[in-house]
Amino acid sequence: MPSTDTTSSTPLHRHPLAPAWLEPRRDTDDLEAALFPADTRRDAEGRLVIGGADVETLAQQHGTPLYVLSEADFRARARSFREAFAAAFAPETEVDVFYAGKAFLSTHVARWASEEGLCVDTASGGELALALAGGVPPQHIGLHGNNKSDAEIQRALDAGIGRIIADSLDELERVSALAVAAGTRAPVMLRLTPGVHASTHEYIATAHEDQKFGLSLTPALDLEDAEARTASGVAGTPETSEQAQASPYLGSPAWTAATRALELPGVELRGLHAHIGSQIFEPAGFELAASKLISFLASLRTAYGVELPELDLGGGHGIAYTEADAPRHPEAIAKALAATVKQACAAEDLRVPRISIEPGRAIVGPAGVTLYRVGVQKNVQVEAPDGSTTSRRYVAVDGGMSDNARGVLYDAEYSAVLAGRRVTGEHSLSRIVGKHCESGDIVVRNVYLPTATTRDDLLAVPATGAYCHSLSSNYNYLTRPAVVAVHNGDSQVLIRRETEQDMLGRDTGFAAA
C-alpha cells in the first residue's frame, strides 16, 4: 500500500484510557529509533526495513506471524557486554560473558555468541544438546536448573562442560556420585539465594527467600540449636572449628552445601553464583547481591583457608519494551558492578575472583521483532476513570499468546508500529489482541496506531527476541512461527515454520490413519 500522510495541526490529546507514560502521537519515528534493532529504517515506499530486508517482502516469503532477528544487532550487543565488562574489571581480573540461552537459542545463535567471544549458559539437557550442536566448545558451556535429572548431569560430565551450577544439596551429592563413577571431577558453582528482592515481576524475581531456586544464605537454625542437633546425631551443621562457628552463615543451606562441596569426591568447587531476577533496571539489587556473595567468600576463606576463584553475578538486565523503559548501557552496568566488587573484595582482603555474567534478554531481546497481519477491528465502549464513556479500539492479529506468552504470564507491556507502509497524522488508542480463545490474549495492551490501519496491514512488535519463541506453544492448535535472521539485506530461516503435519504427526490416531 502507498504511504498515507494525514498530518494535521490539531493538538494531540491523551486518550482517557491511556496510561500516564503513553504519549499521543502522529508518527512513530521515536519508537522505531529507541525500540527496534539498530539497523532498522524506513525505505522510500514507507516500509520498515530491518537488517537491509523490508518487512513486506519477509512476510510474503515466510508468512506471518514471523519472528525476525537482526544478526548484526545481536552481535553488536554481545560484543558490547564483553568489551564493557572486560574493561571495567581490568586489570584485577577477567570476565566471562555467558549468553543465557533460555532467552532464545538455536544452533545459529549459539554459534554467533561463540564467535563473539561469549560462553553459553543452558538450563536443560535439550539446551545443552543444542549448544553443543551449534559448535560451542564444551568448556564454554554452563548447565543450570533447579531439578536436573541424572541423565542431564551425566550428559554434562560426558561432554566435559565448563561448569555445573548446583542448585541444592541433593544435586551436589548426585553430581559427586556420577562424577566418581565416571572417573572425573565435576566443575561446580553453587547457586546461592542472597535474599535480595529485585524490582521486577514476582514470577521473574529469583533471589528472595520464598522461591524454588538456590541455597539460602539465611541460617535455618540458631547456633545453639544447630550444635544440639549435631551432638544428638540429627542432621545439622557439621562444622566444629572456631572459625566455622564464627561465620554468620553457619546453619544456612548455602554454608552446608559449600562445606560439603569442599569435601565431596569428584567435585571441584569453582565458586558462587547468584541470579536475582529478570527485566531489572535498578542497580542496587545487583550490587547488594555481589556484596553478600563476597562476604560469603570471605567467610569460607576464614573458616577453611580456601579462596574460591570464581564469582558469577547472573544477568537479568532490563531492556526497552515501551517508551517508558530506560535501560542502562552495558558500560554503566559494568562500571557500577566492578566498583562494588572491587571495594567489597578490598574490604575483605580478597583477590578479585574471575567474574562471569549471564545476559540473555539484554542481547537478543532488542534484536528481535515480530510481524503480524491485521484482521478484525472493533470499537468497544468502556467506562473512563472520570465515569464518562469512551471507546477503545481492538485490533486483532493472526497470532497472539501462542507466539508471545509474556503478556498473559507477566502482564508484560509492548509497543507496535504500522510496518508495511508509513502513515502520519491521526493515531487512535488501540489494544492489539490475538486470535486465541482467551480474553487475556493481549499482545500490546496500549498503543497509538494510525486511525487508517486496515485489514491485512502489517504490524511490527519490537523487543520480542527474548522469551517469545522460547515460550511459544500450539494453543488452539496454531502452528509456531518461523524465526528468520536478517543481515545485509539477506534473510535466512533459523527455525522453520511449524506445519499442521508436524502437529498432527504426534497424534497417534492421525499417524495410524
Side-chain angles (χ1 to χ4, degrees), residues 13 17 48 87 103 123 149 172 214 236 252 272 275 278 286 290 327 330 339 349 376 398 418 436 478 498:
H13 295 288
L17 298 178
L48 207 64
S149 67
L172 195 59
S252 70
L272 308 177
H275 179 67
S278 296
F286 295 106
D349 195 25
V376 170
D398 55 354
L418 196 65
H436 297 281
L478 266 67
E498 195 172 37

Side-chain angles (χ1 to χ4, degrees), residues 35 64 67 115 165 246 259 263 412 420 449 455 497:
L35 304 183
T64 58
Y67 300 117
E115 288 173 350
I165 299 89
T259 302
E263 64 185 15
L449 288 178
R455 171 174 281 276
R497 182 175 299 280

